Amino acid sequence: MGLKTLNAAKAADLDKDLMSTGAYSIDQLMELAGLSVSQAVFKLAPPSAMPRVLVICGPGNNGGDGLVAARHLFHYGYKPTIHYPKQSENDLYQRLCTQLKNLDIPFADDFDHAFKETDSVVDAIFGFSFSGEVREPFPKVIEALENTKLPVLSVDAPSSWNIETGPPEAGPGSGFMPKALISLTAAKPLVKHFKGRHFIGGRFLPPSVAKTYDLDIPPYEGIDQIVEVDADGHKL
């Protein structure tokens, strides 16, 4: 049996259900997502070998997940830097930024310099709702991710990829294949095009909701918030 996936519409519906009948707040969901992202970074690039991590955040919820992950990474012993060129004025995102500034985590405006001074990268730019063309100021960023040899972890989707059809045929991201992907709550259809390490994070999903959306809850171990799976969804 292949890995079960959620398309963009179903993923949005699931989030709505979690925040209505599930009684979760957006803050809680973002905190849980960012925690999962941070654990995937730890598996991919442990701080003992790669302490510097650049977290690139987009303007939406995917970027918020990155901000949360950066806070956890700091407490794991990493030295995170944030590149957040289109900051949201939403109160939630502003509070997340304040939490990071209170830890003296730097916000880098100069992307090129920050990119040269890191050991790994978290791609938290665009998530499952992205479609269309990559707009400024992100084409240069995605081209850098596309050409780097650094380990890159993409959050829910490699930025620039269509959630259904995968990488664009041309332009920024057409050759982008990050070293790892973390799918939040459930994998998205684009995973059939993905060739790297694949983690699933979402150790909070009620079994009743998983049943409604025909999802398999992966076999998380111990206190892990993530599980690494193969192309068929089997735990590695």
Side-chain angles (χ1 to χ4, degrees):
M1 188 191 311
L3 180 64
K4 293 181 179 179
T5 62
L6 276 183
N7 64 26
K10 289 291 186 182
D13 288 344
L14 189 151
D15 279 353
K16 289 177 184 176
D17 285 347
L18 288 171
M19 288 187 284
S20 56
T21 56
Y24 283 92
S25 68
I26 183 65
D27 303 53
Q28 284 180 291
L29 294 178
M30 201 166 285
E31 186 67 27
L32 289 162
L35 178 61
S36 294
V37 172
S38 71
Q39 289 199 354
V41 174
F42 194 90
K43 298 276 190 183
L44 180 69
S48 57
M50 297 182 173
R52 302 174 301 173
V53 55
L54 176 62
V55 183
I56 308 172
C57 299
N61 288 350
N62 205 254
D65 297 341
L67 295 173
V68 172
R71 170 163 38 79
H72 288 292
L73 291 168
F74 172 87
H75 291 294
Y76 298 165
Y78 287 90
K79 296 177 180 177
T81 296
I82 311 299
H83 181 62
Y84 192 17
K86 289 189 70 173
Q87 295 193 22
S88 170
E89 295 182 2
N90 180 284
D91 178 67
L92 170 57
Y93 301 104
Q94 288 300 309
R95 286 188 283 113
L96 292 173
C97 287
T98 298
Q99 292 165 13
L100 298 178
K101 291 172 183 175
N102 287 341
L103 296 171
D104 293 324
I105 294 173
F107 282 67
D109 293 326
D110 186 340
F111 170 74
D112 292 331
H113 178 74
F115 200 65
K116 291 176 183 175
E117 297 295 321
T118 192
D119 301 310
S120 67
V121 181
V122 174
D123 160 27
I125 304 172
F126 303 127
F128 69 76
S129 61
F130 175 80
S131 62
E133 295 183 0
V134 177
R135 297 194 174 108
E136 294 295 340
F138 295 110
K140 179 180 80 168
V141 174
I142 291 173
E143 287 171 357
L145 296 180
E146 190 172 357
N147 294 315
T148 188
K149 290 182 167 51
L150 294 172
V152 177
L153 172 72
S154 289
V155 178
D156 226 17
S159 290
S160 78
W161 284 33
N162 180 283
I163 205 69
E164 303 285 342
T165 58
E169 292 184 1
S174 58
F176 180 30
M177 186 65 65
K179 185 171 182 179
L181 169 70
I182 178 162
S183 296
L184 298 174
T185 308
K188 311 307 184 295
L190 59 76
V191 295
K192 63 180 175 286
H193 301 282
F194 182 67
K195 307 300 181 186
R197 296 177 67 180
H198 183 206
F199 301 92
I200 294 178
R203 197 176 186 176
F204 65 91
L205 193 65
S208 59
V209 175
K211 183 177 180 181
T212 297
Y213 288 87
D214 190 30
L215 297 174
D216 296 323
I217 296 178
Y220 299 101
E221 286 190 355
I223 60 173
D224 288 349
Q225 301 298 304
I226 62 171
V227 61
E228 187 170 1
V229 298
D230 64 15
D232 293 317
H234 300 128
K235 181 182 180 298
L236 293 177

